C-alpha cells in the first residue's frame, strides 16, 4: 500500500508494523510505517494515544491507500482532462517524489513502435493538488504517471492497519467522546480556538483565519457512510474534512449530508470541484450529488452541526454494506454524464418545488396566526 508522508507530503510504497508504546491503558500500540527502499531511520511512527478523536483516526486512515498502478503506453487514451493521478516530480535528477495531480490537458502525438512495442509520445499537463508544487502546472510523460486505485472497504484493509484503527476508535469511544455534554463543550472550545488562531496540522491546510465553512449536499445515496465521503474528497482533492449524514425518512429515496472544512482555501477548492460543469459526482447506482447550500459556520449553526454529528453517528453504526458506499466522477461527453445530468436537473427541480412549498407554508401559517380570535 501507499502512505502520504507527514514529512514531505509525498506518497511512498510502505509496509507497517505495530509495537507497544508502554501504555498499559487505552491504546497501548504504536503504528510504525516503514518505507520501501529506505533505512529504518526514515520510519514514521504514529502513537495510538495521540489519536484523541474519530477525526484523528479518519485522517490517519486517509493517509493510506492501495498502491497506485503505473500506466502503460497502450492506456494513453484513458488519460483525459479532469482525471486524478499520482505522478512523479523530480526537483533533482536523483530525487523522484510522487504527488497527486489532476490532468489539466493532453497533447496527443502519434505513438511510435520500437522492437514491436508501442511507445507513447504524448504530453500531459498536470496541475499539482498538494506538496511543494501545489497549484502549479507541469508537463509530464506517461511513464511518470500512475493510476490512483479506489479506497479499500473496511473489510479489505491491511489486517494490522484495520486492527490499529479499530483499537483507536474503541479508545476514543471509551474516553467519553459520545457524551453529548462533553462533545458540545468541546465543539464550542474548538470554534473559539478557530476564531483566535491559525492552525497547521502535519502538512494539511487547516489555516482557518476566521470561522469554519460548511457545505450541504443533497441527493446522497441512502446508507452512505460519512467516512466514504471523507475518503472520496481526500482521494480527489488531497485534504481532510469532516462529513456528516442525516438519516432519511422512510419514504425518501435519498439522504442529506454536510461537509465541514476548517480552511477557506480548501472550502473554495471543494466548492469549485462540486460546481465544475465538466463533471458530476455520482454513486455507483447513478445518483448525482447536488450542492444546495454553502456558508460560514457561526454560532447560529452550532445546533445544526451538533444534530448532524449525533444523527451521523447513528447512520455510520447502522449503515448497510454494498455498492451504496461507492462514489465516482463522470466526465462530460460520456453516457454516464448525460444520464447523471438529467437526474441532477430532475432533483434540482424537485428541490426548488419543495422550497416554494416551504415559502407558501410560511405565508399560510402567518395568515392563520393573524386571524382574529373567534367569539
Amino acid at each position: 500500500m501507499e502512505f502520504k508522508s507527514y514529512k514531505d507530503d509525498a506518497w511512498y510504497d510502505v509496509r507497517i508494523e505495530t509495537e507497544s508504546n508502554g501504555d498499559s491503558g487505552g491504546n497501548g500500540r504504536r503504528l510504525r510505517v516503514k518505507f520501501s527502499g529506505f533505512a529504518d531511520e526514515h520510519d514514521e511512527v504514529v502513537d495510538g494515544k495521540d489519536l484523541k478523536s474519530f477525526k484523528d483516526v479518519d485522517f490517519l486512515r486517509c493517509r493510506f491507500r492501495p498502491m497506485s498502478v503505473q500506466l502503460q503506453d497502450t492506456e494513453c487514451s484513458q488519460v483525459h482532462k479532469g482525471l486524478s493521478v499520482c505522478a512523479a516530480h523530480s526537483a533533482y535528477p536523483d530525487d523522484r517524489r510522487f504527488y497527486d495531480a489532476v490532468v489539466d490537458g493532453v497533447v496527443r502525438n502519434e505513438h511510435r513502435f520500437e522492437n514491436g512495442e508501442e511507445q507513447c509520445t504524448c504530453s500531459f499537463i498536470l496541475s499539482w493538488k498538494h506538496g511543494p508544487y501545489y497549484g502549479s502546472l507541469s508537463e509530464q510523460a506517461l511513464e511518470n504517471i500512475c493510476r490512483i486505485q479506489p479506497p479499500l472497504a473496511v473489510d479489505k484493509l491491511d489486517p494490522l492497519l484495520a486492527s490499529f484503527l479499530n483499537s483507536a476508535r474503541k479508545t476514543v469511544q471509551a474516553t467519553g467522546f459520545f457524551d453529548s455534554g462533553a462533545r458540545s463543550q468541546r465543539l464550542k472550545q474548538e470554534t473559539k480556538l478557530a476564531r483566535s488562531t491559525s492552525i497547521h496540522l502535519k502538512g494539511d491546510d487547516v489555516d482557518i483565519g476566521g470561522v469554519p465553512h460548511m457545505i450541504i449536499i443533497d441527493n446522497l445515496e441512502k446508507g452512505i457512510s460519512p467516512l466514504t465521503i471523507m475518503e472520496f474528497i481526500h482521494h480527489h482533492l488531497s485534504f481532510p474534512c469532516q462529513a456528516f449524514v442525516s438519516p432519511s425518512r422512510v419514504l425518501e429515496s435519498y439522504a442529506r449530508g454536510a461537509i465541514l472544512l476548517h480552511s477557506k482555501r480548501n472550502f473554495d477548492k471543494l466548492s469549485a470541484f462540486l460546481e465544475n460543469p465538466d463533471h458530476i459526482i455520482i454513486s455507483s447506482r447513478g445518483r448525482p450529488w447536488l450542492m444546495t447550500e454553502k456558508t460560514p459556520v457561526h454560532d447560529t449553526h452550532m445546533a445544526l452541526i451538533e444534530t448532524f454529528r449525533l444523527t451521523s453517528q447513528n447512520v455510520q453504526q447502522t449503515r448497510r454494506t454494498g455498492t451504496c458506499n461507492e462514489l465516482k466522477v463522470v466526465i462530460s461527453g460520456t453516457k454516464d454524464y448525460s444520464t447523471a445530468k438529467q437526474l441532477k436537473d430532475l432533483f434540482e427541480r424537485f428541490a426548488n418545488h419543495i422550497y416554494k412549498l416551504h415559502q407558501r407554508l410560511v405565508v399560510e401559517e402567518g395568515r392563520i396566526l393573524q386571524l382574529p380570535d373567534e367569539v
Side-chain angles (χ1 to χ4, degrees), residues 211-243:
V211 297
H213 288 70
M214 179 172 62
I215 293 176
I216 303 296
I217 305 293
D218 265 311
N219 205 33
L220 296 174
E221 197 74 64
K222 292 179 72 171
I224 190 172
S225 161
L227 182 59
T228 296
I229 297 173
M230 291 188 289
E231 288 183 337
F232 175 81
I233 292 173
H234 192 276
H235 174 74
H236 285 275
L237 299 176
S238 298
F239 58 70
C241 67
Q242 289 178 272

Side-chain angles (χ1 to χ4, degrees), residues 72-356:
Q72 303 302 309
D73 295 85
T74 55
E75 298 176 309
C76 166
S77 61
Q78 299 177 22
V79 183
H80 50 74
K81 182 176 181 179
L83 180 68
S84 292
V85 297
C86 185
H89 196 297
S90 301
Y92 306 100
D94 297 326
D95 182 25
R96 280 166 53 90
R97 305 192 189 196
F98 284 82
Y99 301 95
D100 288 345
V102 62
V103 178
D104 190 74
V106 180
V107 180
R108 301 289 182 188
N109 297 315
E110 185 175 352
H111 289 196
R112 65 170 180 262
F113 289 83
E114 291 188 7
N115 299 323
E117 294 187 0
E118 183 176 355
Q119 292 189 354
C120 174
T121 59
C122 302
S123 298
F124 302 89
I125 310 302
L126 302 184
S127 174
W128 299 98
K129 295 163 60 177
H130 67 103
Y133 316 105
Y134 167 77
S136 63
L137 299 176
S138 66
E139 182 180 331
Q140 297 289 333
L142 189 69
E143 64 186 21
N144 294 324
I145 301 175
C146 297
R147 185 192 305 278
I148 299 174
Q149 300 302 297
L152 292 176
V154 175
D155 59 346
K156 300 295 184 181
L157 287 176
D158 178 281
L160 278 179
L161 178 60
S163 176
F164 183 82
L165 295 173
N166 185 52
S167 178
R169 285 184 173 276
K170 288 181 178 179
T171 301
V172 171
Q173 183 174 354
T175 53
F177 181 85
F178 284 107
D179 178 73
S180 59
R183 187 191 306 109
S184 179
Q185 182 64 27
R186 178 179 175 180
L187 182 61
K188 292 178 181 178
Q189 292 173 348
E190 289 178 346
T191 304
K192 186 179 296 183
L193 177 62
R195 291 175 175 175
S196 62
T197 186
S198 294
I199 306 170
H200 187 74
L201 174 61
K202 294 180 179 178
D204 289 313
D205 179 19
V206 289
D207 183 9
I208 300 169
V211 297
H213 288 70
M214 179 172 62
I215 293 176
I216 303 296
I217 305 293
D218 265 311
N219 205 33
L220 296 174
E221 197 74 64
K222 292 179 72 171
I224 190 172
S225 161
L227 182 59
T228 296
I229 297 173
M230 291 188 289
E231 288 183 337
F232 175 81
I233 292 173
H234 192 276
H235 174 74
H236 285 275
L237 299 176
S238 298
F239 58 70
C241 67
Q242 289 178 272
F244 314 101
V245 179
S246 179
S248 306
R249 299 188 187 94
V250 175
L251 295 180
E252 288 179 328
S253 60
Y254 62 92
R256 188 177 189 229
I259 301 171
L260 188 65
L261 297 143
H262 295 278
S263 162
K264 181 62 166 59
R265 186 178 74 171
N266 289 347
F267 171 78
D268 291 338
K269 287 173 62 178
L270 179 57
S271 295
F273 179 69
L274 295 174
E275 294 174 330
N276 189 338
D278 294 331
H279 64 241
I280 298 175
I281 301 167
I282 66 172
S283 70
S284 61
R285 296 175 181 173
R287 183 175 294 280
W289 281 18
L290 180 66
M291 181 172 65
T292 54
E293 184 179 348
K294 54 180 182 177
T295 179
V297 177
H298 300 290
D299 291 339
T300 54
H301 296 97
M302 288 304 159
L304 175 61
I305 292 177
E306 187 63 11
T307 299
F308 265 118
R309 285 181 185 272
L310 293 171
T311 57
S312 185
Q313 288 168 2
N314 293 332
V315 169
Q316 188 159 358
Q317 291 168 4
T318 61
R319 69 179 186 271
R320 301 190 304 270
T321 57
T323 57
C324 65
N325 275 343
E326 298 175 5
L327 296 168
K328 63 179 180 179
V329 177
V330 291
I331 306 299
S332 176
T334 63
K335 183 179 179 180
D336 285 344
Y337 178 91
S338 178
T339 302
K341 185 68 167 63
Q342 294 180 58
L343 291 172
K344 186 175 181 179
D345 291 344
L346 175 64
F347 188 88
E348 193 164 9
R349 291 195 298 271
F350 166 75
N352 289 335
H353 179 66
I354 295 296
Y355 175 74
K356 291 178 181 178

